[in-house]
Amino acid sequence: YTQHILQQKSSMEIKTIEYKKIIEKNHELFALYTPKGKNNEGHAIEAEVIAYFHFEKLQLIRIHGQVQLLQGSLSDVDMHPHE
């Protein structure tokens, strides 16, 4: 998942992130959020993301997530859009 995020960062720009739900306990965080932005060709992208983060000593140790594309091209991410 981390590698996926790094690859996407070079092909799109996220303009806003709407956090819908955040649950934090000890060194773990779960987040449900909707990032919106544009790809390198200027087309709109919107997705729904649920992600898990694990921190130790203020450093991100582990991240896992699922992404569902709501708007955009399948070439931008590896999930299918809503119909």
Side-chain angles (χ1 to χ4, degrees):
Y1 185 75
T2 305
Q3 207 51 32
H4 173 75
I5 292 171
L6 294 173
Q7 288 173 346
Q8 284 183 334
K9 194 171 182 177
S10 67
S11 65
M12 64 183 68
E13 179 181 357
I14 301 302
K15 299 285 189 178
T16 63
I17 298 175
E18 177 187 346
Y19 289 92
K20 297 180 176 187
K21 186 76 174 175
I22 296 175
I23 301 170
E24 181 182 1
K25 184 175 181 182
N26 299 324
H27 302 288
E28 297 177 306
L29 181 122
F30 288 88
L32 175 63
Y33 59 95
T34 305
K36 296 178 184 179
K38 293 186 177 191
N39 66 14
N40 289 344
E41 297 172 359
H43 298 113
I45 298 171
E46 181 178 352
E48 184 173 67
V49 180
I50 184 164
Y52 163 78
F53 304 87
H54 179 88
F55 297 90
E56 288 182 18
K57 299 180 183 177
L58 301 176
Q59 186 175 15
L60 182 60
I61 302 298
R62 191 174 308 125
I63 180 172
H64 296 286
Q66 290 290 315
V67 178
Q68 181 168 9
L69 184 65
L70 302 176
Q71 179 182 4
S73 170
L74 291 178
S75 63
D76 295 323
V77 292
D78 60 351
M79 301 300 285
H80 296 285
H82 270 315
E83 300 195 82

